[in-house]
Amino acid sequence: EDSIPELAFLRACDKMMNVCGVHDFSLKDILTPDSKRFRRNLSAIINFAKFREERLAMYNELLQKVIEYNKFITFLFLGKKTY
């Protein structure tokens, strides 16, 4: 019973670390962390978070432009001002 949440946690950590570019993450990294691997893993998480924030800001800017263009096109074709 107690191992199911632990396995779910390990699976979530492994999935996150794979997304961050660390493909050899294991239970050993949690139970007996080595300082060199811990630093590498933490660095990968921080770099991914920075990358995500940069891309998210760019995505939001582009999304706003698309919304404005859609409103303009709607106005051109339907003659209704939606903004």
Side-chain angles (χ1 to χ4, degrees):
E1 288 179 26
D2 295 336
S3 64
I4 293 175
E6 291 172 2
L7 287 174
F9 175 72
L10 179 61
R11 186 173 292 138
C13 288
D14 185 54
K15 187 175 180 179
M16 179 185 70
M17 295 308 289
N18 273 310
V19 169
C20 293
V22 177
H23 301 288
D24 61 346
F25 187 79
S26 69
L27 184 61
K28 183 180 177 188
D29 293 316
I30 295 172
L31 297 179
T32 56
D34 172 65
S35 62
K36 193 172 186 178
R37 285 181 61 87
F38 178 76
R39 185 174 180 170
R40 181 198 65 161
N41 292 342
L42 188 59
S43 177
I45 292 169
I46 291 168
N47 288 337
F48 178 75
K50 288 179 180 179
F51 170 79
R52 183 184 175 279
E53 288 299 317
E54 289 172 5
R55 293 298 169 114
L56 195 57
M58 187 185 330
Y59 172 79
N60 285 332
E61 288 176 24
L62 292 172
L63 181 62
Q64 289 304 315
K65 288 181 182 180
V66 168
I67 290 170
E68 290 301 317
Y69 288 140
N70 281 340
K71 289 178 181 179
F72 181 68
I73 290 171
T74 300
F75 174 72
L76 288 177
F77 285 106
L78 300 177
K80 296 178 182 176
K81 195 169 187 176
T82 58
Y83 53 99

